[in-house]
């Protein structure tokens, strides 16, 4: 039997508690791991790491078959030329490490799936910019109703896009984000919520580069992960 492909999942480094321990830990919600396994690949957790430069990042990417950019904290606004909003909470270690890995993955044309923060990171890497606090723009918190509570709303996808091929023309999605893509840079916007918030971006010139603003892993939706693995 051939070996399962290796899919890297970017991870958090956060204070955590379990058993008798209360310390910083490298962690990722298990839902990402379940979805990568269900898609037929072997998950590899990637801790925040600046990798010492492009050569190290390229060496890591050479060992992987696909990459998932996971959700998490906000991206440092200076990376897209903005001052920080009071509600913006960043993790510069993740930004540095993930942008290095992403640059190497794009150079190698590795299949990439960005989830929530991961989609926003794709937009920034492609020269775009973010809305730092959606309630200022929308007048509501429907995309992040309360701490730990997902919003739910419909999304529509551009005809002929990869997003439509994965999710169909419309889908009900689960959101947990207070930021969003304002400008996608050179990516194509291919998904929108019913309030016109950007829900999907992609790069049709590459083997597989897709970003989604919601959390399919928490909904148990294996389709984007299966599409990533199918592109390997």
């Amino acid at each position: 039997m051939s070996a399962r492909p290796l899919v890297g999942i970017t991870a958090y480094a956060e204070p955590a508690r379990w058993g008798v321990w209360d310390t910083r830990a490298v962690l990722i919600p298990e839902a990402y791991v379940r979805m990568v396994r269900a898609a037929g690949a072997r998950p590899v957790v990637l801790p925040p790491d600046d990798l010492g430069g492009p050569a190290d990042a390229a060496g890591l990417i050479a060992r992987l078959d696909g990459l998932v950019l996971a959700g998490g904290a906000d991206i440092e606004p200076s990376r897209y030329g903005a001052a920080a909003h009071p509600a913006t909470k960043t993790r510069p270690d993740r930004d540095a490490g993930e942008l290095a890995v992403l640059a190497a993955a794009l150079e190698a044309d590795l299949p990439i799936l960005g989830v929530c923060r991961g989609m926003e990171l794709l937009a920034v890497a492609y020269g775009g910019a973010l809305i730092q606090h959606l309630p200022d723009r929308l007048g509501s918190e429907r995309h992040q109703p309360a701490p730990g509570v997902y919003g739910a709303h419909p999304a529509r996808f551009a005809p002929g896009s990869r997003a439509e091929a994965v999710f169909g023309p419309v889908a009900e999605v689960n959101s947990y984000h207070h930021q969003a893509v304002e400008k996608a840079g050179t990516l194509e916007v291919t998904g929108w919520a019913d309030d016109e918030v950007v829900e999907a971006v992609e790069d049709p010139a590459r083997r597989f580069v897709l970003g989604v603003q919601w959390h399919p892993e928490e909904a148990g939706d294996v389709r984007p992960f299966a599409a990533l693995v199918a592109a390997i």
Side-chain angles (χ1 to χ4, degrees), residues 128-206:
L130 306 180
I131 301 167
Q132 287 192 56
H133 196 53
L134 271 175
D136 292 348
R137 186 72 59 91
L138 299 179
S140 76
E141 298 180 347
R142 68 192 298 260
H143 290 273
Q144 192 181 69
V149 176
Y150 287 89
H153 58 81
R156 71 184 192 279
F157 304 103
S161 65
R162 186 177 291 277
E164 186 199 38
V166 174
F167 301 107
V170 295
E172 187 78 5
V173 302
N174 59 333
S175 290
Y176 192 77
H177 59 99
H178 79 109
Q179 299 196 335
V181 170
E182 182 162 42
K183 299 176 182 177
T186 55
L187 289 168
E188 288 191 12
V189 176
T190 57
W192 303 264
D194 54 345
D195 56 14
E196 301 306 316
V197 168
V198 173
E199 290 291 332
V201 296
E202 57 192 76
D203 183 349
R206 302 219 175 234

Side-chain angles (χ1 to χ4, degrees), residues 11 20 22 28 33 47 67 79 85 97 101 112 146 159 192 195 219 223-224 231:
V20 299
D22 185 352
I28 193 72
V33 171
L67 177 65
R79 292 191 177 273
H85 186 283
V101 169
I112 301 165
W192 303 264
D195 56 14
R223 290 177 295 175

Side-chain angles (χ1 to χ4, degrees), residues 37-97:
R37 284 176 175 160
R42 183 178 296 280
V44 179
V45 174
L46 306 177
D49 186 348
D50 65 10
L51 298 170
D56 279 354
L60 170 62
I61 288 301
R63 292 167 170 81
L64 298 176
D65 300 302
L67 177 65
V68 174
L69 301 169
D74 303 326
I75 298 162
E76 173 56 52
S78 63
R79 292 191 177 273
Y80 50 93
H85 186 283
T88 297
K89 307 298 181 186
T90 63
R91 294 294 187 276
D93 58 337
R94 283 195 69 182
D95 294 348

